Amino acid sequence: MGEESDAGGAGETAEESGTERPSLANQRGVESVYQPAEDSDLLARTARERVEAGDTVLDVGTGSGYVAATLADAGARAVGVDVSPLACQEAAENGVPVVRGDLVEPFRADAFDLVAFNPPYLPTPSEQEWDDWMEHALSGGDDGRRLVDPFLETVERVLAPAGEALMLVSSLTDPEAVREYASEHGLASEQLASEKHPYEALVVLRFYRD
């Protein structure tokens, strides 16, 4: 998800050097909007296998709109949502209908046959947080579940009666603990897909009404 580089001179903070703190995107040499990577691709491929033409689907934290566009290509009526205005702009430029908002809050009840979410899941100590849009796209807080838990608390409201939610999590985020939390909030779950990578395993979990 990008690499960190040193800011300013060696051992010198932005404040000490008299410069403004560089954005996380500049710091890591990446875009200001999260671009598709292995996690996005795994979620998109798994979700595409589960949608049918005419399904209404939501891509939470849509970023560039990659997952939503993949599902639209499969015949679904796809919309994205993101808190970042930069992400909303890029998704719209990529042809994805997009709403700026927090998780599923902007949408009516029972609206979606499938909700997909690739949350920020990198465990990040608070003292290492960067207050910019790329940080919001990458950092999962101390336990990697900064947005995972709120999503599980709220997603059931927007699911159609037979709807389901698919979420990408990492072994760094403890998938079993995520599933236990979902169960506490009335959601059954199963693992649909997984891939091993050098520093983690990526897992797609399915959630549905218990």
Side-chain angles (χ1 to χ4, degrees):
M1 284 194 177
E3 300 178 356
E4 294 188 18
S5 57
D6 292 332
E12 183 180 39
T13 67
E15 290 80 1
E16 289 169 341
S17 66
T19 62
E20 293 185 5
R21 191 181 198 193
S23 71
L24 184 68
N26 290 336
Q27 186 81 337
R28 293 182 176 177
V30 296
E31 302 286 342
S32 296
V33 175
Y34 185 66
Q35 300 299 303
E38 293 88 353
D39 50 2
S40 314
D41 184 61
L42 178 60
L43 178 60
R45 286 188 283 111
T46 305
R48 181 167 184 157
E49 294 174 355
R50 303 190 65 83
V51 300
E52 298 179 358
D55 281 353
T56 302
V57 303
L58 174 65
D59 179 20
V60 177
T62 195
S64 68
Y66 176 76
V67 173
T70 300
L71 300 182
D73 287 344
R77 294 177 293 176
V79 63
V81 61
D82 207 295
V83 295
S84 166
L86 302 176
C88 290
Q89 179 180 348
E90 184 163 329
E93 290 172 351
N94 289 332
V96 173
V98 62
V99 174
R100 186 181 179 195
D102 186 17
L103 297 175
V104 301
E105 189 277 331
F107 303 100
R108 63 176 175 82
D110 306 323
F112 298 103
D113 299 299
L114 183 143
V115 176
F117 187 28
N118 181 11
Y121 57 74
L122 293 178
T124 308
S126 57
E127 64 271 15
Q128 296 180 16
E129 292 279 359
W130 292 72
D131 188 18
D132 65 10
W133 289 119
M134 183 52 72
E135 181 68 53
H136 286 288
L138 295 175
S139 171
D142 288 337
D143 60 2
R145 290 166 53 182
R146 176 177 65 87
L147 293 182
V148 169
D149 291 352
F151 175 78
L152 294 173
E153 294 164 9
T154 57
V155 69
E156 182 182 4
R157 180 184 66 81
V158 301
L159 292 178
E164 60 186 12
L166 272 57
M167 181 163 59
L168 187 292
V169 296
S170 164
S171 54
L172 302 173
T173 318
D174 193 349
E176 287 307 311
V178 171
R179 294 182 66 182
E180 290 177 11
Y181 192 83
S183 179
E184 294 170 3
H185 289 80
L187 293 172
S189 64
E190 63 176 328
Q191 179 177 310
L192 294 182
S194 66
E195 285 184 352
K196 289 186 177 180
H197 294 273
Y199 301 105
E200 62 184 342
L202 299 176
V203 176
V204 177
L205 299 177
R206 171 182 177 246
F207 301 96
Y208 54 98
R209 290 184 176 89
D210 196 353

